[in-house]
């Protein structure tokens, strides 16, 4: 599924950062060192023969980080939590599969990075479970590297089409439709959310003038929500929680966790 680019804007270039891999593949591989539980300085250049850990063009990685983490020097926000594995905001538990081995993680990472088609790579990240176990940073343990990466890809795709951050909107799509390549940032059974400068007639809210931890503000300004907040107690509860979360990757991961938890309670998983 494709969408029109910003009609008034000139195409941007990748002049600030060149990547060995095609940029819309490099953006999904830029934080592989975190999935391998290595620091950036100890990161490998290649995994499974594939170039990884490259800088993301056009400042998209930096802007995606600012959507979920504050500027400045990081501080440890949860005492005694120094693990790369994410803490679930829903349950408070560490989001890690207890039966998983280091070998399982490496195999899953190798399979993910070896995808060579950019659209297939985006689809794989939307449904991937492994990256959902990791934080963006140990200093911000409720953040999610899965949704940070999808946000970085959506920003990069829009910037390459000529849009600026201030042009962008959060858009609610029909969850039954196919995701929009590189623009869809969350796609579940009940919700599909996208970043774009061309929202058309879909429910949309502006992201604001500059990247910041603004999830609750943007979510609250949406004219229509993907959850039936006025008829379902479960959906009202989810909607209320989302109006309190500032970090984008934390909020998107919370939606995924909430839906998985509900499916498990209902015996669907």
């Amino acid at each position: 599924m494709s969408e029109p680019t910003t009609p008034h804007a000139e195409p941007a270039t990748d002049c600030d950062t060149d990547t060995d891999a095609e940029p819309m593949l490099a953006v999904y591989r830029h934080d592989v060192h975190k999935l391998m539980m290595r620091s950036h300085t100890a990161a490998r250049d290649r995994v499974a023969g594939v170039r990884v850990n490259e800088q993301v063009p056009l400042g998209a990685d930096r802007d995606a980080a600012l959507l979920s983490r504050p500027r400045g020097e990081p501080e440890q926000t949860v005492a005694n939590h120094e693990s790369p594995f994410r803490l679930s905001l829903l349950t408070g538990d560490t989001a890690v599969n207890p039966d998983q081995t280091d070998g399982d993680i490496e195999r899953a990472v190798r399979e993910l990075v070896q995808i060579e088609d950019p659209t297939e790579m985006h689809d794989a990240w939307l449904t991937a479970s492994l990256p959902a176990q990791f934080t963006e940073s140990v200093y911000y343990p409720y953040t999610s590297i899965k949704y940070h990466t999808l946000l970085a890809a959506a920003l990069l795709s829009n910037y390459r089409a000529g849009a600026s951050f201030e042009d962008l909107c959060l858009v609610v799509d029909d969850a039954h439709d196919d995701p929009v390549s590189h623009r869809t940032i969350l796609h579940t059974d009940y919700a599909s959310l996208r970043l774009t400068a061309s929202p058309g007639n879909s429910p949309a809210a502006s992201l604001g003038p500059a990247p910041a931890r603004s999830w609750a503000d943007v979510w609250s300004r949406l004219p229509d929500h993907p959850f039936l907040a006025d008829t379902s107690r479960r959906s009202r509860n989810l909607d209320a929680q989302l109006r309190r979360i500032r970090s984008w990757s934390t909020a998107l991961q919370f939606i995924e966790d909430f839906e998985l938890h509900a499916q498990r309670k209902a015996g669907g998983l």
Side-chain angles (χ1 to χ4, degrees):
M1 186 174 179
S2 61
E3 66 173 13
T5 57
T6 309
H8 63 276
E10 293 296 327
T13 67
D14 294 331
C15 58
D16 67 337
T17 304
D18 292 326
T19 54
D20 290 346
E22 200 280 320
M24 292 314 305
L25 285 172
V27 66
Y28 296 105
R29 297 168 175 164
H30 79 283
D31 271 339
V32 163
H33 66 96
K34 294 182 180 179
L35 302 181
M36 304 292 282
M37 294 177 279
R38 291 171 176 261
S39 68
H40 191 72
T41 54
R44 304 178 196 167
D45 287 340
R46 292 184 178 276
V47 169
V50 175
R51 183 72 169 91
V52 297
N53 300 320
E54 293 192 88
Q55 295 291 314
V56 178
L58 304 176
D61 180 42
R62 171 203 60 207
D63 291 353
L66 289 172
L67 289 174
S68 299
R69 313 197 295 267
R71 294 178 185 273
E73 294 297 320
E75 297 178 357
Q76 193 167 2
T77 54
V78 177
N80 301 321
H81 186 80
E82 298 178 348
S83 167
F85 292 109
R86 180 177 61 84
L87 285 180
S88 168
L89 192 61
L90 183 67
T91 65
D93 298 330
T94 302
V96 60
N97 181 347
D99 299 324
Q100 177 179 259
T101 67
D102 288 349
D104 295 332
I105 294 173
E106 181 156 348
R107 277 190 292 276
V109 172
R110 292 167 68 92
E111 289 177 3
L112 196 56
V113 301
Q114 285 181 304
I115 297 171
E116 290 293 346
D117 179 82
T119 298
E120 289 181 12
M121 180 73 95
H122 173 243
D123 290 344
W125 272 85
L126 283 174
T127 57
S129 57
L130 178 75
Q133 298 180 43
F134 292 87
T135 67
E136 290 187 42
S137 161
V138 294
Y139 297 106
Y140 304 104
Y142 297 107
T143 59
S144 165
I145 196 64
K146 171 177 178 176
Y147 287 103
H148 164 76
T149 300
L150 287 164
L151 285 165
L155 292 177
L156 178 60
S157 176
N158 279 288
Y159 292 169
R160 296 184 80 211
S164 300
F165 185 88
E166 62 184 3
D167 300 326
L168 301 181
C169 296
L170 175 66
V171 173
V172 179
D173 286 325
D174 189 327
H176 297 99
D177 290 342
D178 292 336
V180 180
S181 293
H182 309 304
R183 305 293 177 86
T184 298
I185 56 173
L186 175 124
H187 195 70
T188 68
D189 290 344
Y190 298 96
S192 186
L193 300 173
R194 173 170 51 112
L195 298 186
T196 182
S198 306
N201 296 322
S202 300
S206 168
L207 266 58
R213 292 193 300 167
S214 60
W215 168 266
D217 298 336
V218 177
W219 179 260
S220 299
R221 286 191 280 105
L222 280 171
D224 191 12
H225 292 81
F227 310 111
L228 302 176
D230 58 339
T231 60
S232 161
R233 181 179 177 184
R234 170 190 171 277
S235 295
R236 287 198 302 274
N237 184 28
L238 174 56
D239 181 68
Q241 295 300 326
L242 291 172
R243 291 171 189 266
R244 300 186 179 99
I245 299 173
R246 306 297 304 174
S247 163
W248 279 70
S249 75
T250 299
L252 294 167
Q253 187 65 65
F254 186 82
I255 295 172
E256 179 181 308
D257 288 354
F258 193 94
E259 293 193 2
L260 285 174
H261 184 72
Q263 290 174 21
R264 288 180 180 129
K265 279 187 69 176
L269 290 177

